Amino acid sequence: MESSHTGLAPSQQELYRFLSRSIGQLRWGILAALLLVTMAQPTISRIGLPTWSLLGLFAGYNMLLDLLGTRSPRRFSFARVAILDLLVAGFLYFLGNEAGGPLFVLFFLAVDSAAAALSLRGILLYTAAVAVIAAADDVVLRPRSSALIDLRSLGVRLIMLAIVGIGMSILTRRLALEHAVAHAAHTEAERLEELERLRGDFTASVSHDLRTPLTAARAALILLETSARDRHRADEQALLDNTRRNIERLDLLINDLLTHNQLEAGAIQLDHEPLDLRAVVTDAIAVVHPLLQDKDQLLEVDLGEPLLV
């Protein structure tokens, strides 16, 4: 049995295809079990045919639905199939001439199909319609002498119908909700993945663009140091040395950005090796030393032993 939901999103179409396939397999499985039961203990229907032959008619009807649903899916939604099921099941149950017999299970199949398309209120109304048809059939099929027993039996079966209908409706709504949550999580994961890709591209682009002015500044500094090294005062040479260290530090930061992108992409792996933090501190002090001199500040550092990490 196929259902048409061409106006829905692809994820919703996938959900309804799953429901259609699952309910179709359920219907054929139950029909096969009913045929085995009725053939093991055959009874005669109102029109003189065995009960299993009426189930065969319902199986033919079910096969026709599958065929028409495959060729013309727009005309066979769950709601339309549920209406046809109710009419066919009520008619065959009446012909069966066996109140509460195996043919009563056809009403359960109709309720299962309806639960996939109707809301909770809709499935309650549909179950009420099934109860009216089943009760009307029972009034005709049951003998008057067992009216009290018939009423109890009918009440139990109608309660079972209501439980099945409401339960199937709740399970269908829950399945739709879980499918929507899973689809939203998948969409969010794709969005985050795209943002991460854009961030990586932006970092690589910025790192590449920063190298151009940095290379020019390094070349100018080398030219300045080479051409006027002998004429520099001590403080001017210290300033040039500090500028060179800052340029080298910027170059290291740019390399770190590129390396970070490569690490996240799995292109490279880290090889751990010891690092003396004293060298890190010494380089940092050299960077801020001109600022300390301008403010006549004194920085004392006591790092006597190696600080390996």
Side-chain angles (χ1 to χ4, degrees), residues 156-188:
V156 170
R157 285 185 280 116
L158 295 183
I159 291 174
M160 291 175 62
L161 272 176
I163 293 174
V164 170
I166 296 174
M168 281 292 296
S169 180
I170 293 174
L171 288 177
T172 304
R173 302 289 89 76
R174 178 178 177 182
L175 178 62
L177 178 61
E178 291 180 352
H179 187 83
V181 171
H183 179 69
H186 179 71
T187 302
E188 179 66 14

Side-chain angles (χ1 to χ4, degrees), residues 6 21 41 57 86 108 121 124 162 188 212 236 274 281 291:
T6 55
R21 183 172 59 253
Q41 290 185 341
L57 291 177
L86 182 57
F108 288 94
R121 179 180 299 178
L124 287 175
E188 179 66 14
T212 302
E236 292 176 341
V281 174
L291 300 177

Side-chain angles (χ1 to χ4, degrees), residues 225-244:
E225 287 182 329
T226 303
S227 61
R229 180 180 296 276
D230 297 337
R231 297 192 300 272
H232 291 161
R233 298 193 307 270
D235 57 342
E236 292 176 341
Q237 186 60 45
L239 183 60
L240 290 175
D241 293 339
N242 186 56
T243 303
R244 185 180 64 255

Side-chain angles (χ1 to χ4, degrees), residues 37-57:
V37 171
T38 53
M39 292 178 70
Q41 290 185 341
T43 55
I44 302 302
S45 65
R46 182 184 296 272
I47 58 177
L49 295 176
T51 305
W52 60 263
S53 64
L54 298 180
L55 288 172
L57 291 177

Side-chain angles (χ1 to χ4, degrees), residues 60-247:
Y61 154 76
N62 201 55
M63 186 179 299
L64 181 62
L65 285 182
D66 289 344
L67 180 61
L68 294 178
T70 302
R71 293 186 176 182
S72 196
R74 295 184 179 181
R75 298 181 180 179
F76 287 88
S77 63
F78 279 125
R80 292 182 179 179
V81 171
I83 295 175
L84 292 175
D85 282 349
L86 182 57
L87 298 176
V88 174
F91 179 67
L92 293 179
Y93 181 62
F94 174 76
L95 294 180
N97 198 28
E98 186 180 358
L103 292 176
F104 188 83
V105 180
L106 299 180
F107 288 122
F108 288 94
L109 294 182
V111 170
D112 287 343
S113 298
L118 303 179
S119 63
L120 185 58
R121 179 180 299 178
I123 196 61
L124 287 175
L125 294 175
Y126 186 86
T127 305
V130 173
V132 170
I133 293 177
D137 286 345
D138 273 15
V139 170
V140 176
L141 298 177
R142 292 277 186 174
R144 297 181 180 180
S145 59
S146 56
L148 183 59
I149 299 178
D150 295 345
L151 182 60
R152 291 179 179 178
S153 176
L154 176 61
V156 170
R157 285 185 280 116
L158 295 183
I159 291 174
M160 291 175 62
L161 272 176
I163 293 174
V164 170
I166 296 174
M168 281 292 296
S169 180
I170 293 174
L171 288 177
T172 304
R173 302 289 89 76
R174 178 178 177 182
L175 178 62
L177 178 61
E178 291 180 352
H179 187 83
V181 171
H183 179 69
H186 179 71
T187 302
E188 179 66 14
E190 289 182 342
R191 187 184 70 85
L192 293 177
E193 183 179 354
E194 178 65 15
L195 288 177
E196 185 65 19
R197 185 189 65 80
L198 292 175
R199 184 195 63 80
D201 293 344
F202 174 77
T203 302
S205 177
V206 169
S207 301
H208 181 270
D209 292 341
L210 286 176
R211 283 190 180 278
T212 302
L214 188 63
T215 302
R218 181 187 288 112
L221 181 62
I222 293 175
L223 181 61
L224 182 61
E225 287 182 329
T226 303
S227 61
R229 180 180 296 276
D230 297 337
R231 297 192 300 272
H232 291 161
R233 298 193 307 270
D235 57 342
E236 292 176 341
Q237 186 60 45
L239 183 60
L240 290 175
D241 293 339
N242 186 56
T243 303
R244 185 180 64 255
R245 282 192 295 268
N246 279 286
I247 290 177

Side-chain angles (χ1 to χ4, degrees), residues 270-292:
L270 287 178
D271 291 331
H272 298 280
E273 61 181 17
L275 173 67
D276 188 358
L277 291 182
R278 290 186 304 177
V280 178
V281 174
T282 302
D283 291 340
I285 293 175
V287 172
V288 300
H289 185 67
L291 300 177
L292 297 174

